[in-house]
Amino acid sequence: MKQSITKSKKTDLLHFAEDLTRLLSHVQIDPSILTPINYRSELRKFFKSNVYNPQFIYPDTTKQSVNTILAGLWRRLINLSLPSDIEYYIESLIYHTALLQRARLHIGTPLFSRFAEKLYALNALTAQKYNDCLPTVTFADTEGARIYNAYEIQEYAERYIASQSHLHSIGACIDHRTNFSVRAGISNLYIGSRVRRNEQNVVRLMVHEVESHLLQKRNSRAGGPLYLLRTQPTRELYAEGMAVYNEVTTGTITENAYKMYFYRLQAVAMMDKSFREIYSYLSSYMSKNKAFITAFRVKRGISDTSKPGGYPKDALYVMGYKKVSDYLLSGGNIEFLYRTQVPQLGKLLSKYDLLSSVPCQMPQFL
């Protein structure tokens, strides 16, 4: 049943959300600060030895404390006198922000893994349990598919975007800095200059990056600061889960792509082992280069990769797919996954009539 809050309280809540989400964006853990400055030299050392585990050095992250800001936000939250369920939700987000800052400040130290596990509420044992409950997946046929280079992928993306009326004002550009990855921004699809994908995987990328991630980001930005009130791990869980779910339901997912998601989960389930042990396991199922990258993704954030622990984010692709599948099968609101990404937040904003009137952009295949 819908309820309402006063107009003045809604204004106060919007200002509060702006300040909290600004702080969240300041302390979030992004790939740039988890990339060691000696990555390439350690890669060379690793492949010259049969026993060596990389010893990574990380860029110095900001040491500015946010405790004073968080204390101020806490006092403001109490003074807002919001409904108890909204207050509890934001309270948890403030706690998460404090934990996020502590994890960020401990990148490169033995304590980083401990904070990362708390952030994601996920450890090696939890990841291992998901192996036995994954939905069945049917793969797209890639036999005879030709290989596209980055510029051909750009041309394909531009044609695809032009053919879809809901994807107006979106571009596709070549990224010369992150050469080997494809990622979605707010208004552009960025294609690494050295990316190569087979034709079916290019089709899959349109679903994963454009129709899923890019539309979700645009909707969240258009909805305003209330839409951004979500923890980093929960946002990532539903964002990646929605992207993989769309790949599966549209029949565009390839066997290699699903294997990549699956073995990322396996790597997280092994993160208490050394880098070398994880790599040795993975190299039985993929190329040596891919095995190194997958092991690195799980062990990033710690310096001595012979030690237990790591960064469990990569389990979220498969775990998110299961979470989104279960949510939608139980009658969940798919617009919440495209507006706020997090169903709990969408339900809360809907209850108090706080959803934006801006239309939600959805993929036409849904």
Side-chain angles (χ1 to χ4, degrees):
M1 186 171 123
K2 283 196 175 184
Q3 301 178 33
S4 61
I5 61 176
T6 65
K7 186 175 180 180
S8 62
K9 191 165 287 189
K10 180 178 179 180
T11 301
D12 290 341
L13 177 57
L14 283 168
H15 290 319
F16 178 89
E18 285 175 355
D19 292 341
L20 178 52
T21 55
R22 188 182 302 114
L23 180 62
L24 265 171
S25 66
H26 176 70
V27 300
Q28 71 178 345
I29 298 174
D30 58 61
S32 64
I33 63 172
L34 287 178
T35 303
I37 60 178
N38 62 338
Y39 176 84
R40 297 207 174 276
S41 62
E42 288 303 292
L43 182 150
R44 288 192 292 269
K45 288 179 185 177
F46 180 85
F47 282 116
K48 285 181 180 178
S49 167
N50 292 323
V51 295
Y52 183 73
N53 285 287
Q55 306 294 303
F56 291 128
I57 301 170
Y58 292 90
D60 186 29
T61 55
T62 176
K63 295 296 188 283
Q64 180 184 359
S65 173
V66 299
N67 291 339
T68 303
I69 302 173
L70 285 170
L73 287 169
W74 183 277
R75 288 191 294 270
R76 284 173 61 188
L77 175 63
I78 300 303
N79 291 332
L80 281 173
S81 298
L82 295 168
S84 58
D85 48 0
I86 297 182
E87 184 175 288
Y88 176 76
Y89 181 90
I90 297 176
E91 212 173 72
S92 301
L93 191 55
I94 291 174
Y95 169 77
H96 164 79
T97 307
L99 187 57
L100 192 60
Q101 166 74 351
R102 295 187 74 185
R104 182 186 174 98
L105 293 179
H106 286 86
I107 292 172
T109 76
L111 289 175
F112 175 73
S113 294
R114 185 187 303 176
F115 287 117
E117 285 189 19
K118 285 183 179 180
L119 270 177
Y120 285 87
L122 174 62
N123 56 30
L125 184 60
T126 310
Q128 184 62 45
K129 288 179 180 178
Y130 268 78
N131 288 332
D132 302 324
C133 59
L134 296 177
T136 303
V137 175
T138 301
F139 304 116
D141 182 13
T142 59
E143 186 175 353
R146 74 180 186 87
I147 303 299
Y148 283 49
N149 64 31
Y151 295 92
E152 290 170 321
I153 296 173
Q154 180 188 29
E155 289 176 7
Y156 182 95
E158 288 173 340
R159 289 197 303 272
Y160 179 85
I161 290 166
S163 71
Q164 306 293 319
S165 60
H166 66 295
L167 298 179
H168 60 87
S169 305
I170 292 174
C173 53
I174 301 297
D175 186 348
H176 293 279
R177 288 192 306 167
T178 51
N179 294 340
F180 291 99
S181 66
V182 180
R183 59 188 175 85
I186 299 294
S187 301
N188 285 298
L189 176 68
Y190 297 95
I191 304 153
S193 59
R194 299 179 70 179
V195 165
R196 290 168 62 82
R197 295 285 189 275
N198 74 49
E199 187 173 14
Q200 184 55 50
N201 266 317
V202 175
V203 176
R204 179 186 66 82
L205 280 173
M206 298 305 105
V207 172
H208 188 106
E209 298 293 348
V210 179
E211 300 280 17
S212 303
H213 290 329
L214 197 147
L215 285 186
Q216 286 175 320
K217 289 180 179 181
R218 284 167 72 94
N219 287 328
S220 293
R221 178 68 64 87
L226 293 179
Y227 281 32
L228 305 177
L229 290 173
R230 60 271 166 107
T231 68
Q232 179 172 328
T234 309
R235 173 183 59 77
E236 291 170 342
L237 177 72
Y238 283 100
E240 299 301 349
M242 187 77 250
V244 178
Y245 176 86
N246 283 341
E247 289 182 51
V248 174
T249 55
T250 57
T252 56
I253 193 166
T254 64
E255 186 172 7
N256 282 342
Y258 189 76
K259 280 182 177 178
M260 175 183 68
Y261 301 143
F262 176 78
Y263 285 113
R264 284 178 180 177
L265 175 66
Q266 304 312 300
V268 174
M270 296 177 67
M271 70 181 180
D272 285 341
K273 299 185 181 298
S274 70
F275 189 110
R276 177 66 64 173
E277 289 174 295
I278 297 172
Y279 167 83
S280 297
Y281 166 78
L282 294 171
S283 60
S284 299
Y285 303 98
M286 59 183 71
S287 70
K288 291 181 178 180
N289 186 53
K290 286 184 178 179
F292 182 92
I293 293 171
T294 305
F296 161 71
R297 288 175 61 96
V298 171
K299 299 302 274 188
R300 57 188 165 167
I302 58 176
S303 293
D304 184 353
T305 64
S306 69
K307 303 294 184 184
Y311 188 53
K313 179 196 169 182
D314 272 5
L316 300 187
Y317 293 86
V318 173
M319 291 175 65
Y321 168 51
K322 177 73 165 60
K323 193 84 170 176
V324 167
S325 296
D326 290 348
Y327 171 72
L328 294 176
L329 282 172
S330 66
N333 186 331
I334 198 166
E335 273 203 22
F336 289 165
L337 298 177
Y338 269 89
R339 283 182 179 271
T340 63
Q341 295 185 314
V342 178
Q344 182 187 0
L345 175 58
K347 187 176 180 181
L348 201 58
L349 296 181
S350 178
K351 177 181 177 180
Y352 291 99
D353 199 23
L354 293 169
L355 288 174
S356 168
S357 59
V358 176
C360 181
Q361 293 183 308
M362 301 284 286
Q364 289 183 356
F365 59 73
L366 290 177

mmCIF file of all heavy atoms in Angstrom, residues 301-333:
data_model
loop_
_atom_site.group_PDB
_atom_site.id
_atom_site.type_symbol
_atom_site.label_atom_id
_atom_site.label_comp_id
_atom_site.label_asym_id
_atom_site.label_seq_id
_atom_site.Cartn_x
_atom_site.Cartn_y
_atom_site.Cartn_z
ATOM 1 N N GLY A 301 44.023 -6.494 -5.008
ATOM 2 C CA GLY A 301 43.763 -5.827 -3.738
ATOM 3 C C GLY A 301 44.697 -6.256 -2.630
ATOM 4 O O GLY A 301 44.819 -5.584 -1.608
ATOM 5 N N ILE A 302 45.384 -7.405 -2.807
ATOM 6 C CA ILE A 302 46.361 -7.853 -1.819
ATOM 7 C C ILE A 302 47.744 -7.871 -2.468
ATOM 8 O O ILE A 302 47.868 -8.071 -3.674
ATOM 9 C CB ILE A 302 46.012 -9.235 -1.228
ATOM 10 C CG1 ILE A 302 45.914 -10.312 -2.310
ATOM 11 C CG2 ILE A 302 44.698 -9.172 -0.466
ATOM 12 C CD1 ILE A 302 45.657 -11.701 -1.745
ATOM 13 N N SER A 303 48.754 -7.657 -1.671
ATOM 14 C CA SER A 303 50.115 -7.565 -2.201
ATOM 15 C C SER A 303 50.743 -8.935 -2.398
ATOM 16 O O SER A 303 51.180 -9.279 -3.498
ATOM 17 C CB SER A 303 50.986 -6.717 -1.270
ATOM 18 O OG SER A 303 50.552 -5.381 -1.282
ATOM 19 N N ASP A 304 50.813 -9.732 -1.337
ATOM 20 C CA ASP A 304 51.430 -11.056 -1.407
ATOM 21 C C ASP A 304 50.363 -12.067 -1.790
ATOM 22 O O ASP A 304 49.572 -12.513 -0.956
ATOM 23 C CB ASP A 304 52.044 -11.414 -0.051
ATOM 24 C CG ASP A 304 52.797 -12.743 -0.084
ATOM 25 O OD1 ASP A 304 52.734 -13.450 -1.118
ATOM 26 O OD2 ASP A 304 53.448 -13.070 0.924
ATOM 27 N N THR A 305 50.330 -12.448 -3.063
ATOM 28 C CA THR A 305 49.249 -13.301 -3.545
ATOM 29 C C THR A 305 49.456 -14.781 -3.220
ATOM 30 O O THR A 305 48.657 -15.613 -3.634
ATOM 31 C CB THR A 305 49.059 -13.132 -5.072
ATOM 32 O OG1 THR A 305 50.228 -13.581 -5.750
ATOM 33 C CG2 THR A 305 48.755 -11.683 -5.430
ATOM 34 N N SER A 306 50.504 -15.085 -2.483
ATOM 35 C CA SER A 306 50.646 -16.460 -1.998
ATOM 36 C C SER A 306 49.756 -16.681 -0.775
ATOM 37 O O SER A 306 49.510 -17.818 -0.368
ATOM 38 C CB SER A 306 52.104 -16.756 -1.623
ATOM 39 O OG SER A 306 52.489 -16.024 -0.468
ATOM 40 N N LYS A 307 49.275 -15.582 -0.185
ATOM 41 C CA LYS A 307 48.470 -15.642 1.034
ATOM 42 C C LYS A 307 46.986 -15.873 0.711
ATOM 43 O O LYS A 307 46.519 -15.573 -0.387
ATOM 44 C CB LYS A 307 48.598 -14.344 1.828
ATOM 45 C CG LYS A 307 50.028 -13.979 2.199
ATOM 46 C CD LYS A 307 50.616 -14.980 3.161
ATOM 47 C CE LYS A 307 52.015 -14.549 3.607
ATOM 48 N NZ LYS A 307 52.650 -15.569 4.475
ATOM 49 N N PRO A 308 46.215 -16.375 1.695
ATOM 50 C CA PRO A 308 44.771 -16.559 1.490
ATOM 51 C C PRO A 308 44.058 -15.221 1.315
ATOM 52 O O PRO A 308 44.558 -14.168 1.720
ATOM 53 C CB PRO A 308 44.304 -17.243 2.786
ATOM 54 C CG PRO A 308 45.534 -17.767 3.430
ATOM 55 C CD PRO A 308 46.656 -16.858 3.017
ATOM 56 N N GLY A 309 42.861 -15.269 0.716
ATOM 57 C CA GLY A 309 42.031 -14.079 0.602
ATOM 58 C C GLY A 309 42.039 -13.486 -0.784
ATOM 59 O O GLY A 309 42.771 -13.925 -1.674
ATOM 60 N N GLY A 310 41.198 -12.470 -0.966
ATOM 61 C CA GLY A 310 41.111 -11.809 -2.263
ATOM 62 C C GLY A 310 39.904 -10.908 -2.326
ATOM 63 O O GLY A 310 39.348 -10.498 -1.311
ATOM 64 N N TYR A 311 39.499 -10.630 -3.543
ATOM 65 C CA TYR A 311 38.390 -9.697 -3.824
ATOM 66 C C TYR A 311 37.278 -10.511 -4.477
ATOM 67 O O TYR A 311 37.413 -10.954 -5.620
ATOM 68 C CB TYR A 311 38.896 -8.603 -4.750
ATOM 69 C CG TYR A 311 37.945 -7.460 -4.982
ATOM 70 C CD1 TYR A 311 37.388 -6.759 -3.925
ATOM 71 C CD2 TYR A 311 37.623 -7.056 -6.282
ATOM 72 C CE1 TYR A 311 36.527 -5.684 -4.145
ATOM 73 C CE2 TYR A 311 36.771 -5.983 -6.507
ATOM 74 C CZ TYR A 311 36.231 -5.302 -5.437
ATOM 75 O OH TYR A 311 35.384 -4.234 -5.645
ATOM 76 N N PRO A 312 36.128 -10.726 -3.800
ATOM 77 C CA PRO A 312 35.135 -11.705 -4.277
ATOM 78 C C PRO A 312 34.135 -11.212 -5.306
ATOM 79 O O PRO A 312 33.189 -11.928 -5.627
ATOM 80 C CB PRO A 312 34.416 -12.093 -2.971
ATOM 81 C CG PRO A 312 34.496 -10.868 -2.121
ATOM 82 C CD PRO A 312 35.808 -10.206 -2.462
ATOM 83 N N LYS A 313 34.326 -10.021 -5.864
ATOM 84 C CA LYS A 313 33.326 -9.456 -6.777
ATOM 85 C C LYS A 313 32.986 -10.389 -7.945
ATOM 86 O O LYS A 313 31.838 -10.431 -8.396
ATOM 87 C CB LYS A 313 33.812 -8.113 -7.332
ATOM 88 C CG LYS A 313 32.811 -7.497 -8.306
ATOM 89 C CD LYS A 313 33.387 -6.399 -9.166
ATOM 90 C CE LYS A 313 32.409 -6.042 -10.274
ATOM 91 N NZ LYS A 313 32.921 -5.017 -11.179
ATOM 92 N N ASP A 314 33.945 -11.141 -8.458
ATOM 93 C CA ASP A 314 33.708 -11.907 -9.686
ATOM 94 C C ASP A 314 32.709 -13.039 -9.517
ATOM 95 O O ASP A 314 32.275 -13.629 -10.504
ATOM 96 C CB ASP A 314 35.031 -12.442 -10.232
ATOM 97 C CG ASP A 314 35.701 -11.461 -11.162
ATOM 98 O OD1 ASP A 314 35.190 -10.336 -11.309
ATOM 99 O OD2 ASP A 314 36.745 -11.804 -11.749
ATOM 100 N N ALA A 315 32.330 -13.352 -8.283
ATOM 101 C CA ALA A 315 31.280 -14.350 -8.083
ATOM 102 C C ALA A 315 29.911 -13.793 -8.439
ATOM 103 O O ALA A 315 28.947 -14.548 -8.627
ATOM 104 C CB ALA A 315 31.281 -14.827 -6.628
ATOM 105 N N LEU A 316 29.800 -12.465 -8.560
ATOM 106 C CA LEU A 316 28.490 -11.834 -8.704
ATOM 107 C C LEU A 316 27.834 -12.066 -10.062
ATOM 108 O O LEU A 316 26.620 -11.934 -10.187
ATOM 109 C CB LEU A 316 28.598 -10.326 -8.447
ATOM 110 C CG LEU A 316 29.100 -9.908 -7.066
ATOM 111 C CD1 LEU A 316 28.981 -8.402 -6.903
ATOM 112 C CD2 LEU A 316 28.344 -10.611 -5.955
ATOM 113 N N TYR A 317 28.618 -12.396 -11.094
ATOM 114 C CA TYR A 317 28.024 -12.621 -12.414
ATOM 115 C C TYR A 317 27.055 -13.798 -12.362
ATOM 116 O O TYR A 317 25.884 -13.676 -12.753
ATOM 117 C CB TYR A 317 29.114 -12.876 -13.455
ATOM 118 C CG TYR A 317 29.987 -11.679 -13.717
ATOM 119 C CD1 TYR A 317 31.108 -11.419 -12.929
ATOM 120 C CD2 TYR A 317 29.691 -10.795 -14.749
ATOM 121 C CE1 TYR A 317 31.910 -10.307 -13.159
ATOM 122 C CE2 TYR A 317 30.486 -9.678 -14.989
ATOM 123 C CZ TYR A 317 31.588 -9.444 -14.190
ATOM 124 O OH TYR A 317 32.376 -8.337 -14.409
ATOM 125 N N VAL A 318 27.537 -14.925 -11.866
ATOM 126 C CA VAL A 318 26.690 -16.119 -11.791
ATOM 127 C C VAL A 318 25.700 -16.010 -10.638
ATOM 128 O O VAL A 318 24.521 -16.350 -10.778
ATOM 129 C CB VAL A 318 27.562 -17.375 -11.647
ATOM 130 C CG1 VAL A 318 26.699 -18.600 -11.397
ATOM 131 C CG2 VAL A 318 28.405 -17.582 -12.902
ATOM 132 N N MET A 319 26.161 -15.518 -9.486
ATOM 133 C CA MET A 319 25.268 -15.364 -8.343
ATOM 134 C C MET A 319 24.147 -14.366 -8.665
ATOM 135 O O MET A 319 22.994 -14.563 -8.283
ATOM 136 C CB MET A 319 26.052 -14.904 -7.121
ATOM 137 C CG MET A 319 26.990 -15.968 -6.569
ATOM 138 S SD MET A 319 28.034 -15.364 -5.207
ATOM 139 C CE MET A 319 26.804 -15.019 -3.963
ATOM 140 N N GLY A 320 24.497 -13.289 -9.370
ATOM 141 C CA GLY A 320 23.498 -12.290 -9.747
ATOM 142 C C GLY A 320 22.483 -12.857 -10.726
ATOM 143 O O GLY A 320 21.285 -12.558 -10.645
ATOM 144 N N TYR A 321 22.957 -13.669 -11.660
ATOM 145 C CA TYR A 321 22.047 -14.316 -12.612
ATOM 146 C C TYR A 321 21.025 -15.168 -11.880
ATOM 147 O O TYR A 321 19.815 -15.098 -12.148
ATOM 148 C CB TYR A 321 22.860 -15.167 -13.592
ATOM 149 C CG TYR A 321 22.035 -16.110 -14.433
ATOM 150 C CD1 TYR A 321 20.926 -15.648 -15.142
ATOM 151 C CD2 TYR A 321 22.351 -17.466 -14.503
ATOM 152 C CE1 TYR A 321 20.151 -16.516 -15.906
ATOM 153 C CE2 TYR A 321 21.584 -18.336 -15.272
ATOM 154 C CZ TYR A 321 20.491 -17.860 -15.970
ATOM 155 O OH TYR A 321 19.722 -18.709 -16.718
ATOM 156 N N LYS A 322 21.491 -15.934 -10.901
ATOM 157 C CA LYS A 322 20.579 -16.771 -10.100
ATOM 158 C C LYS A 322 19.615 -15.887 -9.311
ATOM 159 O O LYS A 322 18.412 -16.157 -9.230
ATOM 160 C CB LYS A 322 21.408 -17.637 -9.146
ATOM 161 C CG LYS A 322 20.594 -18.523 -8.196
ATOM 162 C CD LYS A 322 19.978 -19.686 -8.928
ATOM 163 C CE LYS A 322 19.472 -20.763 -7.972
ATOM 164 N NZ LYS A 322 18.451 -20.327 -7.023
ATOM 165 N N LYS A 323 20.125 -14.802 -8.735
ATOM 166 C CA LYS A 323 19.305 -13.905 -7.917
ATOM 167 C C LYS A 323 18.215 -13.243 -8.767
ATOM 168 O O LYS A 323 17.044 -13.199 -8.374
ATOM 169 C CB LYS A 323 20.205 -12.827 -7.308
ATOM 170 C CG LYS A 323 19.561 -12.016 -6.205
ATOM 171 C CD LYS A 323 19.669 -12.728 -4.884
ATOM 172 C CE LYS A 323 19.250 -11.833 -3.735
ATOM 173 N NZ LYS A 323 19.262 -12.551 -2.448
ATOM 174 N N VAL A 324 18.595 -12.742 -9.943
ATOM 175 C CA VAL A 324 17.628 -12.084 -10.827
ATOM 176 C C VAL A 324 16.607 -13.095 -11.351
ATOM 177 O O VAL A 324 15.403 -12.805 -11.402
ATOM 178 C CB VAL A 324 18.356 -11.376 -11.995
ATOM 179 C CG1 VAL A 324 17.379 -10.969 -13.094
ATOM 180 C CG2 VAL A 324 19.108 -10.162 -11.480
ATOM 181 N N SER A 325 17.073 -14.283 -11.730
ATOM 182 C CA SER A 325 16.154 -15.325 -12.221
ATOM 183 C C SER A 325 15.107 -15.652 -11.170
ATOM 184 O O SER A 325 13.903 -15.704 -11.460
ATOM 185 C CB SER A 325 16.930 -16.596 -12.580
ATOM 186 O OG SER A 325 17.821 -16.364 -13.642
ATOM 187 N N ASP A 326 15.546 -15.873 -9.932
ATOM 188 C CA ASP A 326 14.618 -16.221 -8.849
ATOM 189 C C ASP A 326 13.653 -15.066 -8.570
ATOM 190 O O ASP A 326 12.458 -15.287 -8.337
ATOM 191 C CB ASP A 326 15.399 -16.560 -7.570
ATOM 192 C CG ASP A 326 16.156 -17.876 -7.681
ATOM 193 O OD1 ASP A 326 15.898 -18.631 -8.646
ATOM 194 O OD2 ASP A 326 17.014 -18.139 -6.818
ATOM 195 N N TYR A 327 14.183 -13.835 -8.598
ATOM 196 C CA TYR A 327 13.360 -12.658 -8.323
ATOM 197 C C TYR A 327 12.252 -12.509 -9.367
ATOM 198 O O TYR A 327 11.080 -12.288 -9.019
ATOM 199 C CB TYR A 327 14.248 -11.415 -8.303
ATOM 200 C CG TYR A 327 13.499 -10.106 -8.235
ATOM 201 C CD1 TYR A 327 12.850 -9.699 -7.077
ATOM 202 C CD2 TYR A 327 13.447 -9.248 -9.343
ATOM 203 C CE1 TYR A 327 12.157 -8.486 -7.017
ATOM 204 C CE2 TYR A 327 12.764 -8.039 -9.288
ATOM 205 C CZ TYR A 327 12.125 -7.657 -8.125
ATOM 206 O OH TYR A 327 11.446 -6.477 -8.064
ATOM 207 N N LEU A 328 12.586 -12.656 -10.630
ATOM 208 C CA LEU A 328 11.592 -12.489 -11.694
ATOM 209 C C LEU A 328 10.626 -13.665 -11.758
ATOM 210 O O LEU A 328 9.435 -13.485 -12.032
ATOM 211 C CB LEU A 328 12.291 -12.277 -13.033
ATOM 212 C CG LEU A 328 13.096 -10.972 -13.145
ATOM 213 C CD1 LEU A 328 13.828 -10.899 -14.478
ATOM 214 C CD2 LEU A 328 12.195 -9.751 -12.974
ATOM 215 N N LEU A 329 11.112 -14.871 -11.471
ATOM 216 C CA LEU A 329 10.220 -16.036 -11.458
ATOM 217 C C LEU A 329 9.187 -15.932 -10.349
ATOM 218 O O LEU A 329 8.085 -16.485 -10.457
ATOM 219 C CB LEU A 329 11.040 -17.323 -11.299
ATOM 220 C CG LEU A 329 11.740 -17.838 -12.551
ATOM 221 C CD1 LEU A 329 12.678 -18.993 -12.204
ATOM 222 C CD2 LEU A 329 10.721 -18.287 -13.593
ATOM 223 N N SER A 330 9.536 -15.223 -9.274
ATOM 224 C CA SER A 330 8.600 -15.069 -8.154
ATOM 225 C C SER A 330 7.674 -13.867 -8.356
ATOM 226 O O SER A 330 6.943 -13.489 -7.438
ATOM 227 C CB SER A 330 9.359 -14.915 -6.834
ATOM 228 O OG SER A 330 10.101 -13.709 -6.822
ATOM 229 N N GLY A 331 7.707 -13.251 -9.556
ATOM 230 C CA GLY A 331 6.814 -12.140 -9.863
ATOM 231 C C GLY A 331 7.405 -10.776 -9.593
ATOM 232 O O GLY A 331 6.683 -9.778 -9.502
ATOM 233 N N GLY A 332 8.728 -10.691 -9.493
ATOM 234 C CA GLY A 332 9.394 -9.427 -9.216
ATOM 235 C C GLY A 332 9.199 -8.401 -10.325
ATOM 236 O O GLY A 332 8.915 -8.750 -11.470
ATOM 237 N N ASN A 333 9.349 -7.142 -9.976
ATOM 238 C CA ASN A 333 9.134 -6.023 -10.894
ATOM 239 C C ASN A 333 10.417 -5.745 -11.680
ATOM 240 O O ASN A 333 11.396 -5.251 -11.128
ATOM 241 C CB ASN A 333 8.722 -4.783 -10.085
ATOM 242 C CG ASN A 333 8.329 -3.618 -10.968
ATOM 243 O OD1 ASN A 333 8.808 -3.463 -12.090
ATOM 244 N ND2 ASN A 333 7.454 -2.771 -10.462
#
